[in-house]
Amino acid sequence: MSISTRFALVFIVAMALVGAAFYMILDRIYLDQLKSQAETVADNVDAFGTWVAQYGRIWVKDDAHNGYLGHLPLLQPDDGTTATAGALRPVTFYSKNPALAQREFSEVVARSGSPAKFRLTSHNVMNPANAPDAFELIALKKIRDSGLTEYSELNDEGFRYARTVYHKAACISCHGDPERAPSDVRTRYGTANGFGFRAGDVAGIISVRVPARSFRRVALTVAGGGSLAMIIAAFLLAMLFVRFAIVAPINRLTRASHQISLAQPANLGVRRIPRRSRNEIHQLTLAIERLRRSVQLAMHKLGEDEPVVAGHAPARHER
């Protein structure tokens, strides 16, 4: 193959390798950005759960329509502007444990415009509504089998991220021995599931979903006609350089060398070449010019040294 053809193949392979390297680097950056978003969501969920857990339970007013554990009827002054202002009226407070509060928090986020969604689930859920989906089952298995603290993957649903949640001492009152669990917990959820944990056990995961496409689809969207045109322009520029800076001078030297071998005059164009040039083609041209002059000088000297016999032409020596 010619130098131009070989260079074209090398250029294409090199560009493919560079493109693959950039693809891998940008894909890693893309996944890291998605993971960072998911970690931020998990941090907020974790902080909220810690806040609720430090009180054991939180109490909310007039929330009978939502899930609750215990309730506490109280009397408080009427703060209205009517004639009954200041009079006592009955008010009921309903208790939420950390798991219930976090589930309601996740439901509020799911109904909001936030692109990232989350939920808490476990391999041993107390509430069937918190049962894990396909990704969460895989994440729970890998986390429990390999002792991981997190697990993530990019699939058709988007970027899925799972962070391990460990049971704290405050959680064991509801999730430890079912016989010692609060009566309202046993009444609401029964005693079959969600119990038997100890402090430090894997309680479950915070499962986060961030909408995302595969990086291949993102790259195809970002890489437009302008990028392709620049790559083609770079290829053409490199090919022109090889053609005129390497191939054409080599062809010129090949023709000149052929003429020199036939004892024909050959113009190597050495007058246009600076003597201190670092161009390898220039150095080769100057070397061939020196070789041409040395051959001419040797032939001339050989012709002068041959004896001439009367009536005979000088003998021709094999060269």
Side-chain angles (χ1 to χ4, degrees):
M1 292 186 292
S2 67
I3 292 178
S4 298
T5 304
R6 295 169 67 183
F7 175 80
L9 292 176
V10 170
F11 183 91
I12 292 172
V13 172
M15 288 299 296
L17 291 174
V18 171
F22 269 104
Y23 181 90
M24 294 172 64
I25 293 171
L26 294 177
D27 180 51
R28 184 70 263 170
I29 294 174
Y30 178 65
L31 291 176
D32 285 345
Q33 288 295 321
L34 293 174
K35 185 171 181 287
S36 178
Q37 296 179 39
E39 286 175 335
T40 300
V41 174
D43 288 340
N44 292 332
V45 176
D46 214 1
F48 177 73
T50 301
W51 175 78
V52 177
Q54 70 180 340
Y55 300 109
R57 295 187 183 188
I58 59 173
W59 294 81
V60 298
K61 185 172 67 174
D62 298 331
D63 196 26
H65 62 284
N66 284 328
Y68 66 94
L69 295 177
H71 65 280
L72 180 66
L74 296 174
L75 295 175
Q76 72 174 24
D78 189 349
D79 56 358
T81 58
T82 64
T84 62
L88 296 179
R89 66 182 182 88
V91 177
T92 302
F93 284 85
Y94 299 88
S95 68
K96 314 273 185 177
N97 68 356
L100 184 55
Q102 285 177 304
R103 183 172 67 81
E104 292 187 2
F105 179 29
S106 71
E107 292 171 351
V108 171
V109 173
R111 293 191 298 267
S112 72
S114 173
K117 312 297 182 184
F118 78 91
R119 66 194 297 262
L120 275 76
T121 186
S122 172
H123 59 283
N124 183 13
V125 293
M126 182 175 286
N127 186 347
N130 298 330
D133 62 18
F135 162 79
E136 292 160 349
L137 285 172
I138 295 173
L140 284 165
K141 186 177 188 308
K142 288 184 176 293
I143 284 172
R144 297 182 67 207
D145 293 348
S146 305
L148 304 177
T149 58
E150 60 182 10
Y151 175 78
S152 62
E153 66 178 41
L154 182 61
N155 56 33
D156 294 337
E157 298 178 285
F159 184 78
R160 302 295 304 273
Y161 173 80
R163 176 183 292 179
T164 308
V165 176
Y166 300 96
H167 271 300
K168 302 180 177 65
C171 305
I172 302 305
S173 60
C174 291
H175 294 279
D177 186 351
E179 300 302 324
R180 297 182 180 181
S183 59
D184 50 10
V185 173
R186 287 180 290 161
T187 300
R188 182 177 177 82
Y189 299 112
T191 58
N193 299 309
F195 298 99
F197 290 100
R198 295 177 298 177
D201 287 349
V202 174
I205 56 173
I206 300 173
S207 175
V208 181
R209 186 199 312 264
V210 178
R213 297 178 296 170
S214 68
F215 182 70
R216 181 181 61 82
R217 294 175 60 187
V218 174
L220 290 175
T221 303
V222 173
S227 302
L228 182 61
M230 293 177 65
I231 294 175
I232 294 175
F235 175 75
L236 293 177
L237 183 63
M239 287 299 297
L240 289 174
F241 173 80
V242 171
R243 176 69 181 84
F244 291 102
I246 299 176
V247 175
I250 289 178
N251 288 337
R252 185 171 61 251
L253 289 176
T254 301
R255 290 192 299 269
S257 299
H258 180 68
Q259 291 172 335
I260 292 172
S261 68
L262 298 176
Q264 296 176 356
N267 181 14
L268 295 172
V270 294
R271 294 183 178 181
R272 298 189 301 270
I273 300 177
R275 297 296 176 178
R276 297 181 178 273
S277 173
R278 296 184 179 181
N279 186 303
E280 289 81 358
I281 300 295
H282 289 173
Q283 294 295 327
L284 176 60
T285 303
L286 294 174
I288 293 176
E289 174 63 16
R290 288 193 295 270
L291 177 62
R292 184 181 69 83
R293 291 183 178 182
S294 298
V295 170
Q296 286 182 343
L297 181 60
M299 294 299 295
H300 180 70
K301 186 175 181 182
L302 182 62
E304 290 181 347
D305 293 342
E306 283 187 347
V308 179
V309 180
H312 294 279
R316 294 187 178 274
H317 294 272
E318 296 289 339
R319 295 197 292 271

